[in-house]
Amino acid sequence: MAKKYERIADALRQSIRAGQLKPGDRLPAETALAEQYKTSVPTMRDALGELLAEGLIDKRHGVGNFVREPRPRVERSNQRHQWEKNRARLLESERLKTGSTEHDTGLTVSDLAFKATYREVKADEDLAAVFSVPVGTRLLEREYRTFPREGDAPFSLVCSHLLYSAVSSNPDLLDASNEPWPGGTQNQLLTVGIELDRIVERITARPPTAEEAEELGLQKGVSVFVLRKISIDTGDRVVEVSDVIMPGDVTELVFTTPLDRW
Amino acid sequence: MAKKYERIADALRQSIRAGQLKPGDRLPAETALAEQYKTSVPTMRDALGELLAEGLIDKRHGVGNFVREPRPRVERSNQRHQWEKNRARLLESERLKTGSTEHDTGLTVSDLAFKATYREVKADEDLAAVFSVPVGTRLLEREYRTFPREGDAPFSLVCSHLLYSAVSSNPDLLDASNEPWPGGTQNQLLTVGIELDRIVERITARPPTAEEAEELGLQKGVSVFVLRKISIDTGDRVVEVSDVIMPGDVTELVFTTPLDRW
DNA sequence: GAGTGGTCTAGACCACTGT
DNA sequence: CAGTGGTCTAGACCACTCC
């Protein structure tokens, strides 16, 4: 026999899909639901936990459980990289018009809030291995947050590392107040004579840390994508390592692989 | 103040990383752990649930909780597509030697068990939209499972769809007993005159269905990758749509994007 | 202050595993 | 059969939100 909380979760899913419960609707209180389904509150909470992990409902402490508005998925395509490379050499007036997040989401610049912080750090074992440099090498660490609107949760948490020695010849690159930089990282690299040859992305999924869940506004049970983007220049040198955390429930990654012709 | 179950989970994580609990070790019974950490069994189970979702422990019903052996990650690179395309035109004797799963895992053919089932189906709305054909169009549905060893859980669940009309000219392609087909899908397509131009992959993450969790042997809280691979031929026609479910805790997806030179 | 979800307790009973 | 984890109950008390 199926587990009780699964049967209840199924019944609720059914109600949502059939439209008896519409996006934005508040569900009855958990005590009321428990009574309705002839079960205890903890079992009811197990059932709601399934819907929560699937992103079908939002729990709001002290307020109630709500059917979630079908949030538009944020699409992140690897074609953004070539797009960014092309854009990096445009005139500044062109580069100012739009950034990568707009490219992904279709939103316009004015809808977005942006935050960047820079820091100088030393390479730990992990980063040293990827950059092929000694542990302790100076790196420029840059954290980015892009918000759909002020007050909302960010789309992603980005932590980028650059080889300090590679970028310090242009002091503007060391100052976070120049962000958002028109033309993005590839334009920044262009100012110190670096051209990218290829980008390697490694993707895993795992439960968020408590801090990540907090910052991204994730419900319990939702996993995150961890994407490590490694930028390699025309001299086969790793010049940037960027770690991106994205909510698994609303993100779609798209990769196009062209094949050589026969 | 931090939640009790989080503090306990942290303490256990610590013990595992410090090596006081080694891979393969059995943890004390949950009742014993609850007593040790001065808490109730349900709270203890919440703490263990965190480690479970992170893949640090295995729960085995009726047996106990075990520190997990650090399972090797299965890497799936998009370079496999070009590799497969090159392999598709080799002599059969060459093609027999190795398949894509071996390419991903580094295992040899003899370590692997393989299962394929074919079925004829009609396109639902979803598939019809991707193929750009009317709903109800005949499709060949193929399910694949590859196991590390007989009896173990498969690496992934693969469900592939081909346009029936595109492949039926070669009856060998309709018979599952010809699997594993030396040279893979791209060689199969070659026999009916189809060459692939590019592959588009769309990736999301979500909790597994009950069936997926069962078949992949997933612990509670572990998410799966859902990868939809769309193969497009040199005439810009979608010829294959393949849905792949992979465990999020042991899979690493790798994508390399080459950039045009300035 | 009323009502909501969040955490935690204590314990019953069932299902599974290995001996 | 003994011991383990799995499910479920009943209810206390806290934290948060909104009126």
Side-chain angles (χ1 to χ4, degrees):
Chain A
M1 175 183 128
K3 290 154 223 166
K4 193 164 186 176
Y5 72 88
E6 282 182 356
R7 279 187 286 114
I8 296 172
D10 273 343
L12 289 171
R13 264 188 286 260
Q14 202 67 18
S15 305
I16 291 173
R17 266 198 270 278
Q20 288 147 30
L21 289 169
K22 289 183 204 57
D25 281 1
R26 216 201 78 178
L27 276 67
E30 299 187 347
T31 48
L33 280 171
E35 199 175 340
Q36 182 182 334
Y37 285 102
K38 301 188 197 316
T39 187
S40 67
V41 172
T43 299
M44 196 64 226
R45 291 175 58 78
D46 282 347
L48 292 170
E50 293 221 336
L51 305 191
L52 202 61
E54 292 162 17
L56 290 173
I57 62 171
D58 273 328
K59 275 181 161 303
R60 290 166 52 191
H61 190 174
V63 186
N65 297 311
F66 297 81
V67 179
R68 217 206 224 183
E69 303 286 347
R71 273 212 261 169
R73 286 197 166 259
V74 177
E75 210 176 88
R76 183 188 189 280
S77 162
N78 68 333
Q79 301 192 359
R80 79 209 308 269
H81 301 132
Q82 184 65 54
W83 181 86
E84 278 192 349
K85 180 159 180 175
N86 296 341
R87 195 174 65 114
R89 288 200 305 176
L90 299 178
L91 290 174
E92 176 158 12
S93 58
E94 281 297 316
R95 282 185 271 121
L96 274 169
K97 285 184 187 159
T98 184
S100 308
T101 307
E102 297 91 294
H103 182 249
D104 289 345
T105 60
L107 299 172
T108 60
V109 179
S110 56
D111 292 332
L112 296 167
F114 184 86
K115 259 165 84 170
T117 55
Y118 284 24
R119 203 184 350 269
E120 195 190 316
V121 301
K122 292 195 187 306
D124 60 15
E125 262 188 43
D126 172 38
L127 285 167
V130 182
F131 277 111
S132 300
V133 296
V135 172
T137 302
R138 285 168 85 194
L139 301 175
L140 180 66
E141 180 175 283
R142 312 179 301 169
E143 282 199 342
Y144 296 100
R145 302 287 183 271
T146 312
F147 305 82
R149 279 177 307 284
E150 197 64 60
D152 265 4
F155 289 120
S156 59
L157 314 178
V158 180
C159 184
S160 156
H161 290 92
L162 292 165
L163 280 179
Y164 196 91
S165 61
V167 295
S168 55
S169 60
N170 180 357
D172 287 349
L173 298 183
L174 306 178
D175 181 359
S177 66
N178 291 317
E179 293 277 3
W181 185 285
T185 297
Q186 290 206 48
N187 180 270
Q188 292 179 316
L189 292 172
L190 172 60
T191 69
V192 290
I194 293 175
E195 176 185 357
L196 295 188
D197 173 68
R198 64 188 184 279
I199 290 179
V200 177
E201 291 168 288
R202 314 185 72 91
I203 305 159
T204 59
R206 59 161 171 75
T209 65
E211 296 77 36
E212 288 164 354
E214 158 79 12
E215 202 170 352
L216 291 169
L218 296 178
Q219 301 279 350
K220 217 172 229 181
V222 174
S223 280
V224 293
F225 280 116
V226 183
L227 184 150
R228 166 160 285 187
K229 186 184 91 179
I230 302 170
S231 301
I232 299 164
D233 76 358
T234 53
D236 246 7
R237 193 173 54 141
V238 172
V239 292
E240 191 204 11
V241 176
S242 192
D243 291 306
V244 187
I245 310 287
M246 290 167 287
D249 56 344
V250 295
T251 307
E252 183 162 25
L253 305 174
V254 183
F255 291 90
T256 301
T257 307
L259 300 174
D260 297 339
R261 289 294 174 93
W262 282 333
Chain B
M1 175 185 131
K3 290 153 223 167
K4 192 163 185 176
Y5 72 87
E6 283 182 356
R7 280 187 286 114
I8 296 172
D10 273 343
L12 289 172
R13 264 188 285 261
Q14 203 66 18
S15 304
I16 291 173
R17 266 198 270 278
Q20 289 147 29
L21 288 169
K22 289 183 203 55
D25 281 1
R26 216 201 78 178
L27 276 66
E30 298 187 350
T31 48
L33 280 172
E35 197 174 341
Q36 181 182 333
Y37 285 101
K38 300 188 197 317
T39 188
S40 67
V41 171
T43 299
M44 197 62 227
R45 291 176 59 79
D46 282 347
L48 293 170
E50 294 219 338
L51 305 193
L52 202 60
E54 291 161 17
L56 289 174
I57 62 170
D58 274 328
K59 274 180 161 306
R60 290 167 51 193
H61 190 176
V63 185
N65 297 311
F66 296 81
V67 179
R68 216 206 226 185
E69 302 286 348
R71 273 211 261 167
R73 287 199 166 256
V74 177
E75 209 176 90
R76 184 188 187 281
S77 162
N78 68 334
Q79 300 192 359
R80 78 209 307 271
H81 304 315
Q82 185 64 55
W83 181 86
E84 278 193 348
K85 180 159 179 175
N86 297 341
R87 195 174 64 116
R89 288 201 304 177
L90 299 178
L91 290 175
E92 176 157 10
S93 58
E94 281 298 315
R95 283 185 272 121
L96 274 169
K97 286 184 188 161
T98 183
S100 308
T101 307
E102 295 92 293
H103 183 247
D104 289 346
T105 59
L107 298 172
T108 60
V109 179
S110 56
D111 292 332
L112 296 167
F114 184 86
K115 258 165 88 169
T117 56
Y118 283 24
R119 203 182 353 265
E120 195 189 317
V121 300
K122 291 192 189 306
D124 60 15
E125 264 187 43
D126 171 39
L127 285 167
V130 181
F131 276 112
S132 301
V133 296
V135 172
T137 301
R138 286 169 84 193
L139 300 175
L140 180 65
E141 180 176 284
R142 312 179 301 170
E143 282 199 342
Y144 296 99
R145 302 287 182 270
T146 312
F147 305 81
R149 280 178 304 283
E150 197 65 57
D152 265 2
F155 289 120
S156 60
L157 314 177
V158 180
C159 183
S160 156
H161 289 92
L162 293 164
L163 281 179
Y164 197 90
S165 63
V167 296
S168 55
S169 61
N170 181 356
D172 287 348
L173 299 184
L174 307 178
D175 181 359
S177 66
N178 291 318
E179 294 275 6
W181 184 285
T185 296
Q186 290 207 49
N187 180 269
Q188 293 179 316
L189 292 172
L190 172 60
T191 69
V192 291
I194 293 174
E195 176 184 357
L196 295 187
D197 173 68
R198 64 187 183 280
I199 289 178
V200 177
E201 292 169 285
R202 312 184 74 90
I203 305 159
T204 59
R206 58 162 172 74
T209 65
E211 296 77 36
E212 289 164 353
E214 158 78 12
E215 202 171 352
L216 290 169
L218 296 178
Q219 300 280 349
K220 216 172 230 182
V222 174
S223 280
V224 293
F225 281 117
V226 184
L227 184 150
R228 166 161 285 187
K229 185 184 91 177
I230 302 170
S231 301
I232 299 165
D233 76 357
T234 53
D236 245 6
R237 194 174 54 143
V238 171
V239 292
E240 191 203 12
V241 177
S242 192
D243 291 305
V244 188
I245 310 288
M246 290 165 287
D249 57 343
V250 295
T251 307
E252 183 162 25
L253 304 175
V254 183
F255 291 90
T256 301
T257 307
L259 300 173
D260 297 339
R261 288 294 174 95
W262 280 334

